[in-house]
Amino acid sequence: MDLELKDKVILITGGAKGIGAAITRACAEEGAIPAIVDRDEKALQEMASLLRDAGRQFHCISAELAQADECRRIVTETQKRFGRIDALVNNAGVNDKVGLEHGSPEEYVASLERNLLHYYNMAHYALPALKKAKGAMVNIASKTAITGQGGTSGYASAKGAILALTREWAAELLPYEIRVNAIVPAEVMTPLYRQWVNTFPDPEQKLKTVVAKIPLGKRMTSPEDIAAMAVFLMSERASHITGQHIFVDGGYTHLDRALT
């Protein structure tokens, strides 16, 4: 299936690691031009080397997304280099464990800065380019917004807001034919997830316990599973899909626990 993404410029936050890196690779494989934003210089260099070796077009931008001015710079730099932005993937974030009991008002605000505010800022500054392109936005959310997790008020509320903003922006941007959708992952094997598993006394047993609760295939969702949905949602093949929360989680969030 031709997703018609060739030479489309796709701006991806957190695009050098984990889910973001998988989306970057998938975009490049489809012939799109990923503009990769990450604060991890080493990861950016590794991604650049991978794409360069594959003969792909790309652009890497090192930035701290918590600052609104940096979000504006990212968009300006991308437009200056390529003259267009066809899609935005808001992905960067971290489950930072800022809870209600073990947290503070200051830590909570900082968590929102890490996980929510740059979604708005990036969308705001990229909007003029997206209007010209009749482009698309894909927001990466989390099942914590639906299920709760405990001990992570900042991250969960940020992801809940992202789901709300997805529908709000889909409604607001209808006149411009800009489609806005969210992907909701659950248990995805990324480096950050592995770090979390390794905090348990018996990491492999903890992982087996989690995997046993995933209905479809009794396996973790892969970053590539998320990336496949992301490139589809940005493509013309998804031209009549907007305002949707799409769960790519092997049935983890919604299917009956009796199945596992």
Side-chain angles (χ1 to χ4, degrees):
M1 181 184 290
D2 182 4
L3 295 179
E4 300 179 34
L5 289 175
K6 184 173 173 54
D7 296 328
K8 301 289 188 182
V9 177
I10 300 175
L11 189 50
I12 307 163
T13 66
K17 294 184 294 187
I19 289 171
I23 295 172
T24 294
R25 292 192 298 269
C27 288
E29 287 164 6
E30 291 294 331
I33 304 170
I36 310 148
V37 182
D38 212 293
R39 65 181 180 182
D40 187 327
E41 291 274 6
K42 181 180 177 183
L44 274 175
Q45 290 172 8
E46 290 172 354
M47 180 59 71
S49 179
L50 176 69
L51 296 177
R52 192 177 295 113
D53 289 347
R56 306 294 188 185
Q57 290 190 75
F58 66 93
H59 182 52
C60 289
I61 305 169
S62 177
E64 178 50 69
L65 287 164
Q67 301 170 21
D69 285 346
E70 282 286 86
C71 294
R72 177 163 44 195
R73 178 180 69 84
I74 290 162
V75 170
T76 300
E77 183 174 327
T78 303
Q79 286 185 288
K80 185 175 181 179
R81 184 176 181 91
F82 298 110
R84 60 188 297 160
I85 296 172
D86 297 283
L88 169 65
V89 180
N90 278 316
N91 163 72
V94 60
N95 193 336
D96 48 20
K97 305 297 183 184
V98 177
L100 180 61
E101 181 179 10
H102 301 292
S104 69
E106 294 77 18
E107 289 174 313
Y108 180 74
V109 170
S111 180
L112 296 183
E113 289 175 346
R114 285 187 291 269
N115 291 298
L116 174 61
L117 301 189
H118 60 82
Y119 275 58
Y120 177 90
N121 294 338
M122 290 297 299
H124 174 74
Y125 292 122
L127 184 55
L130 293 174
K131 286 166 65 174
K132 288 180 183 178
K134 293 186 179 179
M137 273 190 252
V138 175
N139 296 322
I140 306 300
S142 166
K143 58 93 175 175
T144 59
I146 306 300
T147 65
Q149 184 177 46
T152 188
S153 295
Y155 183 75
S157 58
K159 294 302 183 178
I162 287 161
L163 292 179
L165 287 173
T166 294
R167 292 222 161 116
E168 167 63 15
W169 294 344
E172 180 176 340
L173 302 180
L174 286 172
Y176 309 113
E177 298 184 39
I178 296 172
R179 297 178 298 102
V180 187
N181 293 288
I183 298 174
V184 189
E187 309 303 307
V188 184
M189 184 48 72
T190 64
L192 282 175
Y193 195 95
R194 173 55 71 178
Q195 286 179 24
W196 174 75
V197 169
N198 288 341
T199 64
F200 291 87
D202 188 343
E204 292 311 309
Q205 184 55 48
K206 176 63 178 178
L207 187 57
K208 288 179 182 178
T209 301
V210 172
V211 170
K213 296 176 181 177
I214 301 173
L216 185 60
K218 296 293 188 291
R219 70 169 178 86
M220 296 285 290
T221 302
S222 71
E224 288 72 24
D225 291 325
I226 308 298
M229 180 56 70
V231 293
F232 172 73
L233 289 173
M234 288 184 278
S235 78
E236 289 302 311
R237 300 295 181 176
S239 64
H240 214 231
I241 301 175
T242 195
Q244 299 305 303
H245 302 161
I246 300 175
F247 290 75
V248 181
D249 66 354
Y252 183 91
T253 305
H254 290 106
L255 293 187
D256 193 326
R257 284 291 176 263
L259 296 169
T260 61

